[in-house]
Amino acid sequence: MQIGLPFECMQISDQTTLTPTGEGLVRETTGGEIVPWLCESFEPDEVNSEIRFKLRKDVKFLDGSPLTGEVVEWNITKAKEHGDLNPAILGAEARGEHEVALILDGYSNAILNMLASQAYDLASKENYDKNGVEQAREYPVTTGPFKLKERVPGYRIVYERNDNYWIEGYPFLDGVELVQITDVMTQNATMLSTGDDAGDVLNSTLAEQIATLRDSGAPLNTDARLASGPTNLFPSSRNEDSPYAKYEVRQAVSYAIDRQTLCDARGFGILNPATQILYEGYKGHIPNANYCSYDPAKAKELLAQAGYPDGFSTSLFAISTTDQDAVVIIQKMLEDVGINARIEIMESAAGVEMRNSKGFEGLFVSGLLNTASTTSTFRMALDPDYAYNVSTWRPAEEMRPAYVQSRATLTLQSELVEQVHRFMMDNMVVIPLFNSFRTFVIRDNVHDTEFAEWSTGTWWLPHQTWKS
């Protein structure tokens, strides 16, 4: 849990710590609506490959400096220099004190979705120029409702009220404290406490933990739930010598998994079987489709067709925060069709390195984040230029034309996204297991956070949150 200059915070875990203080040009709802925030309006122009923004004239940074087109241009330039800017963005150009254009290398309907991420919150150029990069990184100067007061690395970040916030009358709270607690038992104790150490909001994806808190009788609300995408098996299908390079083997793995039994055992009434990659309500979801049937006899038949009549041995990877009991159940289901999987559990950082750079051989249990801009979900699994899931086959030649077209329309077209989705499922690019949900456990006296109403880039609205 870190905080710094927004354009250096590309990990979601870092971006969430910016939420009380950072703001960007736009925000995005879970339904995919892009809402102007630090801009009054925006105008996509696919002919000229740019997006033009009219900025609000009343916005000031925490140091009192104004938001201008020049400042936005500088932020985009710094993001590009940092190396994490989407290559579709060539840069930005100020076209007046309160006007700026984002210059694109071909239009993409995922750009506005990306700009809604905390990674594209805006920082003060004046502060950076005056105090240097280290000071600007240590004490980020943004436009938000709260300003940094204290931080203890690896433990907590404390914000205090910005009395000069640009939205008059806000924020309501005197401050916000973000605490990092990795132990589930301690998290539960914090949420069940009635003392000074009580927590107000817990962000969890663990079904057992959510059920425990839901059934505790404590004054907690567990209804704020956001479909975060399925937990999947990522096969090492990009490795030419891997069994998973064969479609029949990927199919066999899917047939081997009894998803309903898995959810009955470890879902606690929260998880449900995944039949495709995109959850209901996301553009590109395939109505009434079920790509994930349970048929162990068919799984054995397909393994024999692929040249593995006696099965084979493999590795089953997962990070330490994954439900390890669920991983053991998956291991047993694979064993029942002849795939003998050795479980390897690792810490999160090691797992990210393995999936994104080092590579692996076997099956990796992990999520595929569903976003309101569903082509961004597909980018993680299809785009050959995106360094993510490096060992999983990316069907570039076969799928790239439809994938590119799905991103190039002015707005997201469901039929194009569905075409890409069908290709991914027909080829078992990833193997869905069960639908996961990001649940925000909220104390009853906390109001108007709007958790689960905003996308993973925006999260919640700290300026309007209040406590009774």
Side-chain angles (χ1 to χ4, degrees):
M1 184 172 72
Q2 301 182 33
I3 185 173
L5 287 160
F7 46 75
E8 295 179 351
C9 294
M10 293 296 160
Q11 295 294 327
I12 288 179
S13 58
D14 294 339
Q15 293 174 28
T16 55
T17 63
L18 281 167
T19 305
T21 192
E23 297 176 315
L25 292 170
V26 294
R27 288 182 166 174
E28 181 184 40
T29 68
T30 52
E33 180 187 1
I34 302 297
V35 178
W37 198 257
L38 295 183
C39 69
E40 292 180 347
S41 62
F42 57 87
E43 182 184 1
D45 183 344
E46 57 184 331
V47 175
N48 294 304
S49 295
E50 64 182 33
I51 306 173
R52 295 182 290 273
F53 298 87
K54 284 191 175 181
L55 306 179
R56 296 186 184 277
K57 299 179 177 63
D58 52 352
V59 178
K60 293 187 182 300
F61 290 91
L62 292 168
D63 59 359
S65 62
L67 174 67
T68 65
E70 180 189 1
V71 171
V72 177
E73 178 182 331
W74 174 83
N75 271 269
I76 296 297
T77 300
K78 298 304 290 185
K80 193 170 184 65
E81 289 174 358
H82 191 253
D84 283 309
L85 190 67
N86 187 311
I89 300 177
L90 298 178
E93 180 182 286
R95 295 182 177 170
E97 185 176 4
H98 294 102
E99 293 188 17
V100 65
L102 203 64
I103 312 301
L104 309 176
D105 182 15
Y107 185 77
S108 170
N109 53 40
I111 295 298
L112 286 167
N113 160 268
M114 182 190 67
L115 289 178
S117 159
Q118 246 73 43
Y120 295 91
D121 289 346
L122 300 177
S124 166
K125 179 179 184 296
E126 182 173 304
N127 175 64
Y128 189 98
D129 292 342
K130 179 180 178 181
N131 297 309
V133 61
E134 295 302 328
Q135 177 79 356
R137 184 180 292 137
E138 188 72 15
Y139 297 98
V141 174
T142 50
T143 65
F146 298 93
K147 56 186 177 181
L148 181 66
K149 178 181 179 181
E150 175 193 6
R151 63 173 156 187
V152 181
Y155 174 54
R156 69 176 183 177
I157 298 175
V158 182
Y159 294 98
E160 62 183 351
R161 189 178 193 273
N162 172 16
D163 293 329
N164 298 310
Y165 186 48
W166 61 275
I167 303 180
E168 188 175 353
Y170 294 89
F172 295 137
L173 297 175
D174 293 326
V176 173
E177 181 176 349
L178 305 178
V179 181
Q180 181 175 347
I181 305 172
T182 57
D183 178 70
V184 171
M185 297 298 289
T186 306
Q187 291 175 358
N188 290 351
T190 300
M191 293 305 296
L192 296 174
S193 172
T194 57
D196 293 339
D197 60 345
D200 293 310
V201 179
L202 173 69
N203 177 357
S204 178
T205 58
L206 297 177
E208 184 173 13
Q209 178 183 32
I210 297 161
T212 297
L213 294 171
R214 177 195 63 197
D215 301 335
S216 66
L220 302 172
N221 189 329
T222 60
D223 293 336
R225 191 172 298 164
L226 179 64
S228 57
T231 293
N232 314 276
L233 291 172
F234 286 81
S236 55
S237 45
R238 207 172 189 175
N239 305 341
E240 292 182 3
D241 298 330
S242 173
Y244 305 107
K246 297 183 177 182
Y247 167 62
E248 293 85 358
V249 173
R250 301 196 298 275
Q251 244 191 333
V253 169
S254 182
Y255 279 122
I257 305 300
D258 184 347
R259 292 162 176 83
Q260 187 60 60
T261 295
L262 183 59
C263 290
D264 289 345
R266 300 301 302 165
F268 302 95
I270 293 169
L271 306 180
N272 57 46
T275 60
Q276 54 186 289
I277 294 168
L278 296 178
Y279 196 66
E280 186 178 357
Y282 286 93
K283 287 188 177 180
H285 174 84
I286 305 168
N288 304 315
N290 184 1
Y291 284 92
C292 303
S293 301
Y294 172 56
D295 190 339
K298 182 69 173 177
K300 293 177 181 178
E301 179 185 329
L302 286 165
L303 287 174
Q305 289 178 16
Y308 301 99
D310 300 319
F312 59 90
S313 296
T314 190
S315 292
L316 183 61
F317 301 98
I319 61 173
S320 57
T321 54
T322 304
D323 182 347
Q324 294 181 32
D325 289 335
V327 176
V328 172
I329 294 172
I330 294 166
Q331 178 193 41
K332 179 63 169 62
M333 291 175 178
L334 292 172
E335 182 183 336
D336 288 345
V337 301
I339 301 175
N340 298 304
R342 180 182 67 258
I343 294 175
E344 297 189 30
I345 304 294
M346 64 198 69
E347 291 304 313
S348 180
V352 170
E353 182 182 26
M354 178 178 283
R355 287 176 60 199
N356 294 3
S357 57
K358 290 178 65 175
F360 64 91
E361 173 54 43
L363 296 167
F364 207 119
V365 183
S366 188
L368 183 61
L369 181 68
N370 279 186
T371 62
S373 174
T374 46
T375 53
S376 297
T377 296
F378 295 157
R379 183 180 179 219
M380 292 183 255
L382 285 174
D383 199 322
D385 299 323
Y386 191 54
Y388 199 77
N389 300 318
V390 296
S391 294
T392 298
W393 174 60
R394 295 170 181 273
E397 291 184 8
E398 300 90 338
M399 198 61 239
R400 192 165 180 80
Y403 167 65
V404 170
Q405 186 183 6
S406 73
R407 290 167 61 86
T409 55
L410 188 62
T411 58
L412 207 61
Q413 302 296 314
S414 290
E415 60 274 15
L416 289 176
V417 183
E418 185 177 321
Q419 180 182 345
V420 179
H421 189 191
R422 287 183 183 278
F423 183 93
M424 292 181 70
M425 293 308 308
D426 287 342
N427 289 277
M428 283 292 160
V429 176
V430 300
I431 302 162
L433 299 173
F434 51 82
N435 291 307
S436 299
F437 298 85
R438 186 175 297 280
T439 297
F440 302 94
V441 182
I442 304 173
R443 198 168 291 277
D444 279 355
N445 67 332
V446 178
H447 310 279
D448 294 342
T449 61
E450 296 194 13
F451 277 111
E453 295 181 35
W454 296 89
S455 73
T456 50
T458 304
W459 293 110
W460 61 297
L461 298 183
H463 76 286
Q464 68 177 37
T465 299
W466 59 283
K467 292 179 68 177
S468 58

